[in-house]
């Protein structure tokens, strides 16, 4: 009886020890597995945070970066990629720029238009791309925040003249191409392109000028109105830009006051 009891106790102790060992091993595996899972999650979260920080920094850099603004005269314009160009100006180096839907392009035979013409022809962006893919085009480029607002092909005579006299004016084929011209001209006004005109002086030299939103246009029968009108004490009728364009396409005589290349006042002859 005693031997049987002792055998039973020993067997029970062995089974209990076996169960405890198995449970301990299972607990260790579960703990290791849990630690591994948490570690992987932590690594993934850290990597995600790092990438998010980089993306945020790149976004901030992109927002804080500003494009170049200014005038690049007598440069060589070359094609880099769709919508992307570079202008090389002696003394200034190379400057990349983009074009936009509202970028104005004018040609005198290479980009578009007829060689030898005294009038700059309005070109398309496709024509600019085609021409600059073949070879660099000598042109003036006006930029704002890295985007060209105006690309004007230069005539051969202009290229030889460079950037003109000390006054900043260049007369080519009887047309003054100076930038930022100031003064008063009286002569025949002609249309060149939307917002762009010329006025001849007594010497036969035509001065180019642009219009602005605050340009005052007074008519006495040629642009608009008649000789008997006197609105606002100005001695004429204030005309619209559309009326000026229509009249200039036919040609009329006027006094044009220009400041920095932009007409401040236009009065037709009366």
């Amino acid at each position: 009886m005693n031997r049987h009891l002792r055998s039973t106790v020993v067997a029970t102790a062995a089974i209990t020890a076996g169960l405890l060992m198995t449970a301990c091993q299972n607990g260790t595996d579960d703990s290791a597995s849990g630690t591994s899972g948490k570690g992987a999650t932590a690594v993934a979260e850290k990597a995600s945070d790092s990438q998010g920080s980089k993306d945020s920094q790149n976004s901030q850099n992109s927002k804080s970066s500003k494009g170049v603004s200014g005038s690049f005269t007598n440069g060589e314009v070359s094609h880099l990629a769709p919508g992307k160009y570079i202008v090389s100006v002696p003394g200034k180096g190379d400057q990349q720029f983009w074009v936009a839907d509202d970028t104005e392009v004018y040609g005198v035979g290479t980009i578009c238009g007829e060689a030898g013409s005294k009038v700059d022809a309005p070109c398309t962006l496709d024509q600019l791309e085609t021409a600059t893919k073949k070879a660099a085009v000598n042109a003036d480029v006006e930029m704002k925040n890295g985007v060209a607002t105006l690309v004007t092909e230069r005539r051969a005579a202009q290229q030889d003249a460079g950037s003109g006299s000390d006054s900043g004016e260049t007369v080519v084929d009887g047309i003054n191409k100076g930038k930022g011209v100031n003064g008063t001209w009286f002569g025949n006004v002609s249309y060149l392109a939307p917002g762009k005109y010329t006025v001849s002086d007594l010497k036969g030299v035509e001065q180019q000028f642009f219009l602005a939103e605050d340009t005052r246009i007074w008519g006495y029968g040629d642009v608009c109105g008649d000789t008997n009108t006197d609105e606002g004490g100005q001695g004429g009728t204030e005309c619209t830009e559309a009326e000026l364009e229509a009249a200039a396409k036919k040609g009329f005589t006027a006094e044009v006051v220009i400041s920095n290349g932009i007409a401040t006042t236009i009065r037709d002859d009366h």
Side-chain angles (χ1 to χ4, degrees):
M1 177 66 71
N2 289 336
R3 286 197 301 270
H4 179 71
L5 181 59
R6 284 197 299 269
S7 297
T8 300
V9 171
V10 172
T12 301
I15 292 173
T16 302
L19 292 174
L20 291 175
M21 184 177 294
T22 300
C24 183
Q25 290 175 350
N26 289 340
T28 302
D29 292 342
D30 291 343
S31 175
S33 176
T35 302
S36 177
K38 291 180 181 179
T41 301
V43 172
E45 289 177 351
K46 184 176 182 180
S48 177
D49 292 341
S50 176
Q51 183 62 40
S53 177
K54 291 180 180 178
D55 292 342
S56 176
Q57 184 65 38
N58 290 339
S59 177
Q60 292 177 0
N61 291 339
S62 177
K63 290 180 180 179
S64 62
S65 62
K66 294 183 178 180
V68 174
S69 299
S71 300
F72 295 80
T73 306
N74 196 21
E76 295 286 339
V77 177
S78 304
H79 182 266
L80 289 180
K84 189 176 184 181
Y85 297 81
I86 187 170
V87 57
S88 303
V89 179
K92 287 188 177 181
D94 299 342
Q95 177 60 54
Q96 293 185 11
F97 66 92
W98 298 87
V99 293
D101 291 340
D102 57 353
T103 299
E104 295 185 26
V105 182
Y106 294 95
V108 289
T110 302
I111 301 177
C112 72
E114 298 181 3
S117 173
K118 293 184 179 182
V119 179
D120 296 349
C123 311
T124 66
L125 295 180
D126 288 339
Q127 289 173 319
L128 174 65
E129 180 174 326
T130 299
T132 52
K133 277 183 176 180
K134 295 178 181 178
V137 176
N138 191 266
D140 299 337
V141 181
E142 298 286 338
M143 292 184 206
K144 184 175 182 181
N145 294 328
V147 179
T149 58
L150 177 65
V151 179
T152 306
E153 180 187 343
R154 294 173 67 88
R155 292 175 172 81
Q158 282 182 277
Q159 297 173 30
D160 296 336
S163 58
S165 63
D166 293 338
S167 65
E169 299 180 7
T170 303
V171 178
V172 179
D173 295 332
I175 299 180
N176 193 326
K177 302 283 285 188
K179 300 291 185 181
V181 175
N182 297 281
T184 301
W185 278 259
F186 183 84
N188 187 64
V189 175
S190 301
Y191 173 84
L192 288 180
K196 189 176 183 181
Y197 298 80
T198 64
V199 56
S200 61
D201 60 16
L202 297 177
K203 297 179 181 179
V205 175
E206 294 180 316
Q207 172 60 53
Q208 288 191 5
F209 65 89
F210 292 89
L211 296 186
E213 292 182 356
D214 57 353
T215 299
R216 306 300 296 271
I217 307 168
W218 297 101
Y220 300 82
D222 291 336
V223 179
C224 70
D226 58 58
T227 56
N228 297 321
T229 57
D230 186 10
E231 293 186 5
Q234 298 295 332
T237 301
E238 189 163 9
C239 312
T240 66
E241 183 176 341
E243 290 172 324
L244 173 67
E245 181 175 316
K249 286 181 178 179
K250 298 176 182 178
F252 68 95
T253 304
E255 178 189 77
V256 182
V257 181
I258 302 174
S259 177
N260 292 325
I262 299 174
T264 58
T265 305
I266 302 173
R267 296 177 184 274
D268 72 37
D269 187 22
H270 59 284

